[in-house]
């Protein structure tokens, strides 16, 4: 069993010991041969995944947060996708680890190593936003502005709390939008924020799109219609309290193709990192990614 493991040492800084324990179990208990490569900066994980020689490894493992995993996914996608795609494995070392939660991956070293060695492969349908693949979600509006501005040093220090503080700061600052969202060629609707989900979890284990599933070839468009600080706080409370899907003004539409327009140059987030700017066309990726899961 041959695995190449692409590690973001910044994402994993607080959890370096967990990665060591995973490697030890993989090699000693499961007899895996692991090649470890560390990234040196943004874009490295994608280039490393893209450069894996065909047939050299039977899985490419991303060790980091959702941003690192997203890069590896794009690197694997750039290889052409299709039947020959190398399976993706995950060592969750990030702040929110939304994809790991969505896949119900174990977080302990023993469990992570077992999935990487013996897990089944799950066919994951990806989204693609202006050519960049995403596994969990892409969006424009409040959450994209939060992702753009969140202080990375604070994230390393206090984890998810940095997102909470930045969300409150962005709500207080106001502005942004409105966005016009056209679903499957229909008339555009105007909203204050939009999230296009592939998975049902958001920001950890909060639920935005209850019916979205990674293995389902559909996008779920989450529409936050009302603008203003009061409504932004109300939606935020709805997400954190698990009430959002029951809000009468909140809507989730299944879709295959979504176009979002708004103030030119506003950020678009994908899997928790800025992956582009408006306007954006979001669709399903033309390839399916095999992902190692329980
Ligand atoms: N060696 C490196 N030094 C600095 N930044 C890096 C390095 N390698 C990767 N990065 C960048 O770090 C960013 C954050 O990484 P990642 O998302 O994996 O971790 P995280 O932010 O802790 O987790 P989460 O996405 O779950 O919040 C990514 O955008 C990635 O491109």
């Amino acid at each position: 069993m041959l695995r190449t493991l692409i590690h973001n040492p910044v994402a994993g800084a607080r959890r370096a010991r967990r990665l060591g324990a995973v490697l030890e179990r993989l090699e000693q208990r499961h007899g895996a041969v692991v090649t470890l490569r560390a990234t040196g900066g943004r874009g490295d994980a994608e280039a490393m995944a893209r450069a894996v020689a065909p047939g050299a490894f039977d899985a490419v493992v991303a060790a980091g947060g959702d941003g690192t995993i997203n890069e590896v996914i794009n690197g694997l996608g750039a290889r052409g996708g299709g039947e020959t795609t190398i399976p993706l494995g995950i060592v969750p070392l990030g702040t929110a680890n939304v994809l790991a939660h969505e896949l119900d991956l174990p977080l302990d070293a023993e469990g992570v190593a077992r999935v990487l060695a013996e897990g089944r492969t799950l066919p994951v349908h990806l989204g693609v936003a202006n050519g960049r693949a995403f596994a969990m979600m892409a969006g424009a509006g409040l959450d994209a502005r939060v992702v753009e501005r969140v202080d990375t040093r604070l994230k390393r220090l206090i984890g998810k709390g940095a997102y909470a503080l930045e969300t409150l700061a962005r709500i207080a600052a106001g502005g942004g939008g409105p966005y016009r969202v056209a679903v499957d060629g229909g008339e555009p609707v105007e909203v204050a924020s939009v999230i296009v989900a592939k998975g049902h979890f958001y920001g950890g284990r909060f639920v935005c799109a209850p019916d979205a599933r990674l293995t389902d070839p559909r996008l779920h468009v989450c529409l936050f219609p009302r603008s203003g600080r009061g409504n932004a706080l109300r939606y935020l409370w709805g997400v954190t309290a698990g009430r959002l899907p029951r809000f009468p003004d909140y809507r989730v539409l299944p879709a295959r193709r979504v176009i979002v327009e708004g103030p030119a140059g506003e950020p678009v987030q994908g899997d928790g990192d800025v992956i582009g700017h408006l306007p954006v066309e979001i669709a399903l990726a033309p390839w399916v990614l095999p992902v190692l899961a329980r």
Side-chain angles (χ1 to χ4, degrees):
M1 180 195 322
L2 299 167
R3 304 281 189 254
T4 185
L5 194 147
I6 299 171
H7 174 217
N8 174 353
V10 179
R14 288 186 300 159
R15 303 175 184 85
R17 229 182 309 149
R18 189 197 295 168
L19 178 63
V22 169
L23 283 172
E24 189 187 310
R25 280 168 176 78
L26 261 180
E27 291 178 337
Q28 291 178 8
R29 295 204 190 150
H30 298 282
V33 177
V34 182
T35 304
L36 180 63
R37 302 200 57 190
T39 60
R42 197 181 178 101
D44 281 5
E46 183 169 342
M48 287 171 182
R50 194 170 50 230
V52 169
F57 299 99
D58 25 48
V60 173
V61 179
D66 290 308
T68 305
I69 298 166
N70 180 279
E71 282 199 24
V72 170
I73 287 173
N74 276 283
L76 292 174
R79 302 162 53 87
E83 301 270 302
T84 54
T85 305
I86 306 173
L88 169 76
I90 294 167
V91 181
L93 300 175
T95 312
N97 296 315
V98 191
L99 181 59
H101 289 312
E102 187 77 22
L103 290 163
D104 191 26
L105 293 180
L107 296 178
D108 64 296
E110 182 88 42
V112 172
R114 194 176 338 105
V115 168
L116 293 180
E118 300 167 359
R120 65 194 172 115
T121 53
L122 211 62
V124 169
H125 290 265
L126 304 165
V128 60
N130 282 358
R132 280 209 67 85
F134 63 90
M136 283 300 302
M137 81 314 250
L142 179 63
D143 74 330
R145 292 198 296 279
V146 169
V147 160
E148 183 184 42
R149 296 286 290 264
V150 71
D151 186 324
T152 44
R153 276 169 308 174
L154 195 61
K155 200 161 84 167
R156 308 280 167 243
L157 280 174
I158 63 169
K160 276 189 245 180
Y163 285 106
L165 289 176
E166 193 57 46
T167 302
L168 294 175
R170 286 307 104 217
I171 290 174
Y179 309 95
R180 288 175 305 285
V181 183
V183 175
D184 289 339
E187 273 298 299
V189 291
E190 195 169 291
V191 297
S193 257
V194 55
I195 296 168
V196 178
K198 262 310 286 119
H200 81 302
F201 279 144
Y202 177 83
R205 282 195 165 108
F206 302 126
V207 175
C208 273
D211 298 327
R213 294 292 177 271
L214 295 173
T215 51
D216 179 13
R218 277 187 305 176
L219 303 165
H220 288 247
V221 189
C222 307
L223 299 170
F224 301 80
R226 297 200 190 153
S227 58
R229 294 182 181 88
N231 282 310
L233 285 170
R234 188 171 59 89
Y235 291 134
L236 178 63
W237 174 79
V239 173
T240 52
R243 297 287 183 84
L244 185 65
R246 280 181 272 161
F247 280 11
D249 61 320
Y250 174 72
R251 283 198 295 156
V252 183
L253 304 174
R256 301 184 75 85
R257 184 167 165 267
V258 187
I259 294 176
V260 182
E261 293 176 331
E266 270 208 37
V268 173
Q269 69 95 359
D271 291 340
D273 270 316
V274 174
I275 58 167
H277 296 89
L278 291 180
V280 64
E281 177 174 346
I282 302 173
L284 287 161
W287 55 290
V288 177
L289 177 69
V291 179
L292 293 171
R294 288 181 199 261

